[in-house]
Amino acid sequence: MVRDRQRVEAMVTAGPDGITLGRLCQDGAARLKAAGVENAANEAVWILEAALGVSRLTLHVEGDRFAPTASRRRAEEWLARRLAGEPL
């Protein structure tokens, strides 16, 4: 939990580009659902947990925090790979 807090605090000061953790989660789930992924909401969370290095709890509780550009790009890349059919 302390490690998550440190990562989230780093996100706030990492030059945010206006995209929050919550927005990333919602957008990812919507894109996966539109692509027909059955477990879209959970898969979006799993991808973001790994790409951002934070827990599910942090994604929800700290959803208004900004995601740093590098982490957001990594999450977008992993999401695109999943949308292309790559298994988790």
Side-chain angles (χ1 to χ4, degrees):
M1 201 67 159
V2 171
R3 199 175 324 182
D4 279 351
R5 170 65 58 196
Q6 291 168 339
R7 287 186 179 135
V8 170
E9 287 172 0
M11 288 179 188
V12 173
T13 60
D17 59 4
I19 305 296
T20 63
L21 298 176
R23 177 72 183 268
L24 276 175
C25 200
Q26 291 171 351
D27 289 352
R31 290 172 61 193
L32 289 168
K33 184 176 181 180
V37 174
E38 194 171 311
N39 199 10
N42 281 328
E43 289 198 18
V45 169
W46 296 332
I47 290 168
L48 292 175
E49 283 177 317
L52 302 173
V54 297
S55 69
R56 173 183 295 265
L57 179 63
T58 299
L59 288 172
H60 293 291
V61 173
E62 302 288 342
D64 59 340
R65 301 289 185 163
F66 293 107
T69 302
S71 296
R72 183 188 52 77
R73 287 184 182 149
R74 183 172 44 250
E76 289 290 335
E77 177 185 316
W78 292 4
L79 181 61
R81 289 169 52 185
R82 180 65 185 117
L83 288 166
E86 184 175 321
L88 288 180

